[in-house]
Amino acid sequence: MSTNLSPNSQSDPSTSPLEIRACGITKAFQDRPVLKGIDLNIPQASMTAIVGSSGCGKTVLLDIIAALMDPDAGTVCARDHEQPDQPMVNLHTLDRQGLDRLRRHWALVFQRNALFSGTVYDNIALWLREYAGLSEQQILQLARTSLTRAALDPDAVLYRDRDELSGGMAKRVAIARAISMRPRVIFYDEPTTGLDPVVAGKIHELVFDVHHSTIDGFARTSLVITHDRDLLRRLRPRIVMINAGRVYFDGSYERFESWNDPLALAYLQQMPVLHSRQTPS
Ligand SMILES: Nc1ncnc2c1ncn2[C@@H]1O[C@H](COP(=O)(O)OP(=O)(O)OP(=O)(O)O)[C@@H](O)[C@H]1O
Ligand SMILES: [Mg+2]
């Protein structure tokens, strides 16, 4: 099966091969079940938003999908872009090298940003230096472009220490770091929480633009966890709503928005409140 998607195939991800397949994912903490059997297919070139009330398990699901956490049961398989002709690989059987190979094409924007101590430049440069093998000149150029795209002034922030950034600035640095990696698959965990409406609007455009641009001829796959109704309106992604540990809804944005379901209606009404809460740093 060819995975070299033409820009054309981006218009109908439902016919694309899968990028990720999660089957029967369960997870409990101290016998408190969080995920009770999640099945989720992510086609290549698709844009999927995972929504659901605070604490329902969205970040835990993302951590499991990205192989940062083991599920109690279930499997996650993903496309290895370094071996495009091979079937999808089971993440939890991969060794460190295998995971690194996969992750070379993935980028994550963590809910709490996960910037390490050091400057903004250090944060962006590390991966590009170690894995992409770029020169310092190329890294500097890419860092500046990515920061600008994430609505930051590179001259003002490039050499600032992580601890000198506001919450909203750190969020944008985390986004800049992710896009600088030029990933084929990008995961965002609440990319706009805590941002003011103007900056949030710029991030909506960025998420849209990144998704709709190809990388080395490949269409991108985006997975966004969000409580931001304006982001959903702008992106109009496939919506997967998690409730009580299971997939409660899986369908188009249009269907979700017009769904006359008490839980979905209550959640949509609560969304602006959830979105405006500050993410702890
Ligand atoms: N490492 C952990 N140890 C114990 N409990 C955990 C751990 N990680 C998550 N949990 C619990 O699992 C549940 C789901 O957490 P998760 O962070 O996935 O929620 P969420 O849907 O992302 O919420 P939010 O919208 O607030 O980010 C919560 O009750 C949380 O306390
Ligand atoms: Mg979360």
Side-chain angles (χ1 to χ4, degrees), residues 22-214:
C23 301
I25 301 298
T26 70
K27 185 74 185 175
F29 295 103
Q30 290 92 37
D31 294 331
R32 203 171 48 80
V34 174
L35 302 177
K36 299 180 184 168
I38 302 272
D39 295 323
L40 185 62
N41 285 341
I42 308 284
Q44 287 184 342
S46 64
M47 160 79 78
T48 303
I50 299 186
V51 304
S53 59
S54 219
C56 74
K58 303 179 297 296
T59 297
V60 167
L61 178 60
L62 176 59
D63 284 350
I64 291 171
I65 286 175
L68 299 169
M69 185 187 278
D70 286 330
D72 296 337
T75 53
V76 180
C77 296
R79 186 73 50 198
D80 179 350
H81 287 277
E82 304 275 308
Q83 306 188 61
D85 297 327
Q86 297 297 312
M88 296 171 93
V89 290
N90 182 338
L91 298 192
H92 302 282
T93 62
L94 288 178
D95 58 13
R96 183 63 206 237
Q97 227 181 357
L99 271 179
D100 280 352
R101 225 180 26 242
L102 233 80
R103 290 192 178 128
R104 216 161 284 154
H105 299 282
W106 291 3
L108 262 117
V109 177
F110 292 92
Q111 183 166 4
R112 296 183 188 186
N113 306 322
L115 301 181
F116 56 79
S117 64
T119 65
V120 168
Y121 181 73
D122 294 336
N123 267 276
I124 296 177
L126 180 72
W127 189 91
L128 299 175
R129 197 181 289 130
E130 305 263 317
Y131 291 96
L134 301 185
S135 70
E136 289 304 308
Q137 190 56 38
Q138 289 170 313
I139 293 171
L140 183 63
Q141 186 56 45
L142 197 47
R144 296 183 72 86
T145 319
S146 305
L147 288 166
T148 306
R149 291 185 75 192
L152 286 166
D153 174 2
D155 291 326
V157 300
L158 199 52
Y159 297 108
R160 254 203 230 183
D161 196 83
R162 172 198 69 175
D163 299 334
E164 296 169 25
L165 303 174
S166 73
M169 287 162 89
K171 176 123 298 202
R172 283 175 281 163
V173 170
I175 294 170
R177 180 175 64 179
I179 63 169
S180 75
M181 295 159 79
R182 308 176 75 240
R184 290 184 188 166
V185 183
I186 186 159
F187 304 97
Y188 305 86
D189 195 347
E190 301 206 19
T192 54
T193 301
L195 300 182
D196 72 56
V198 174
V199 172
K202 291 182 179 166
I203 299 302
H204 301 165
E205 293 311 310
L206 177 61
V207 172
F208 184 91
D209 289 346
V210 168
H211 183 71
H212 289 282
S213 58
T214 55

